[in-house]
Every structure is written in C-alpha cells, then in structure tokens.
Amino acid sequence: MQRPHPILSPDRIAPSIPCSRPDASTLEATALIDGEVDMAYALITGASSGIGRELASLFAANGYDIVITARSQERLNTVQTALKQQYQVRVVVFAADLSEPDAPQRLHDFTTSHGISIEYLVNNAGFADWTGYLDADWSRQQEMMRLNMEALAELTYRYGRDMRRAGHGRILNISSVASMMAGPYMAVYFASKAFVRSLSEAVAYELRDTGVTVTCVCPGPTTTGFAKAANMHGRNFFTMTRPASAHQLAAYAYRRMMRGTTLAYHGPLTRAGALAERLLPRAVTRRLAAFMNGGEPNTRSVSATPQAHPEQSAQD
C-alpha cells in the first residue's frame, strides 16, 4: 500500500520526485500487469478533459498512480502520455462508455482482476441537456440518467465495499449547484445532481468510523465545455456569471476530499444557491432556475432528434 503523499498547494503544483520502481507499460482493457498486486490507485471517471483531467493531474502531481476512464481512447492516451512523462507515475487507461449498463461492473472487474486497489474514487463523468422535458430525445435523457446517477451509484457501491473491507479509502462525487432546486428546461440534469448529493450524504453517514469517507462537491458554473455539451445558447448562467476554471474547481474538490469533508460548495453562486434553498420557497427557486437556465429553448429541433454524446461531455 502506498504511503500518503503531501497535498501540494493547488497554485504551486510541482512534479513529484521520480519513483524508484520501474514504470508499468501502457495498459489497455485487455492488458495484464505482470508481477504487480495490491497496488493503490486513484480512479477518475470523465478524465479525458475538464475537471476530470485536472483532478488526474493533481493526483499524479502528488505522486499517486491513477486509473483514468472515459469514452475516448485517443484522448485518454494523450492524457496518459502527458502525465507519465511529467510525473513519472503509473497511468492505466480503461476506455468505456459508463452509461452502458454493464460498464461499471466491467471497470470494477478489470481493476480487481489486475490487482489494482482503488484507494481514491472520483465520480466526475456526466453531462446535461437544455430542453423542455416533453420535447427531449428520450434516449439521450435515459443515457444521462444512467451516467449521472446509475454509474456513479454502482461505482460508489462496488469500490465503497472494497474500501470498507480494507478499512480506508476516499470517494469524491461531483454534484452541482443544480442539486439544490428543481431546474426547468434541464429537468433531468438537475434531478440527477440532487440524487448525487443525497446519496453521497447518506453513504457518508453510513461509513462513519469505518476509515472511508464520501465527499460531495457542488460546483457552480465552470469552464469545461458544459454549455456546448448541453446545447445551450443565448443568455444563461454561464453568460450571467463568471465561471470558475476547471483547475480551480479540481483543486478545491481535491482538498475537500483529502480532508474528508462530506458536503462542500464551490463558488459564490453555489453558496448563494445553498442559502436560497434554505430561505426561499421552492416556487421561487424553480423560477430562478428557469431564468438562469436561459428559459425555454427557442429551437426545439436541437433536442427533438437523436444525438450522440456531446463532444465536451465530462465522460469523453
């Protein structure tokens, strides 16, 4: 088992000291790790870009070996090469679409069968869609629910059981300011993030005194390609606020995870949302959310036809 590494200042991340052990060769989903067992790794979903990639960089900068997963093999390979060269850590690639029903179990089976012990789990993958609920493409909404909720819940369950058995581990689930209210024109996304927050808080309580922590971080607007992926245009919360950078959010989430904080709000809009949730009637907060979401989409055809995953989805 790896010894804990110091948490470096997010504003002054330096390359870790090269490890004395030999570096493992590139691992694909069918590769074997010869002669290695019980290696402690951090697993980050949606790690090919945005917040996920920044979190992978933070773990690597602090000397942790990592498993990165997303849909795009090519993007993951690019991240793998960069992190291995800069930080001299092992970086395992597992390309998968986590919205597929069997994908979370395949990921868990892969790490388990190759002796990779997951000490840190980061559930970051997810996406949104700007649309009226009854005008949405149902297959896309289903995909969103499977990725944002079902995959996160299953990975938390499977790796959480492993961590509880080992007596240590940390789980980070990325929620949103959207978790605090109903969200007209992004109904499923807002509901999915409320699920993430509620599940995380409950499991964190159940795991008290086990050595395992669950942290739920609720970001506000963050520059990750979210608006483009959600097909948003015109006035919305990205144009009406000053979004945080992916690095800023990742550094905040990393610190909170390492401290074992259960629930954390990043940015002034999220903290305002948490206050509004306690003080304002829900009839008011859902009107505010509808306004901040940009109102009813002017072009229904964007969501009325089937679409592939957005290019900037956190799962890529």
Side-chain angles (χ1 to χ4, degrees), residues 183-243:
Y185 313 119
M186 297 183 78
V188 171
Y189 177 76
F190 273 58
S192 73
K193 291 304 182 179
F195 172 88
V196 171
R197 188 176 72 156
S198 179
L199 179 74
S200 299
E201 289 186 81
V203 178
Y205 182 86
E206 292 179 9
L207 289 173
R208 68 195 187 285
D209 302 323
T210 65
V212 182
T213 63
V214 179
T215 297
C216 180
V217 169
C218 298
T222 308
T223 51
T224 61
F226 177 96
K228 180 180 178 181
N231 300 314
M232 301 181 78
H233 55 269
R235 170 189 53 78
N236 56 63
F237 51 83
F238 279 93
T239 63
M240 289 186 281
T241 63
R242 184 177 180 180

Side-chain angles (χ1 to χ4, degrees), residues 24-79:
S25 59
T26 300
L27 296 173
E28 307 297 344
T30 58
L32 296 177
I33 307 173
D34 296 328
E36 296 286 354
V37 293
D38 296 326
M39 297 178 292
Y41 277 71
L43 168 60
I44 303 101
T45 71
S48 61
S49 63
I51 297 167
R53 180 168 182 164
E54 292 291 340
L55 280 163
S57 296
L58 285 170
F59 276 103
N62 281 281
Y64 292 102
D65 296 326
I66 58 177
V67 178
I68 54 175
T69 184
R71 289 186 309 117
S72 172
Q73 181 80 53
E74 182 180 358
R75 292 186 182 187
L76 287 173
N77 289 344
T78 299
V79 175

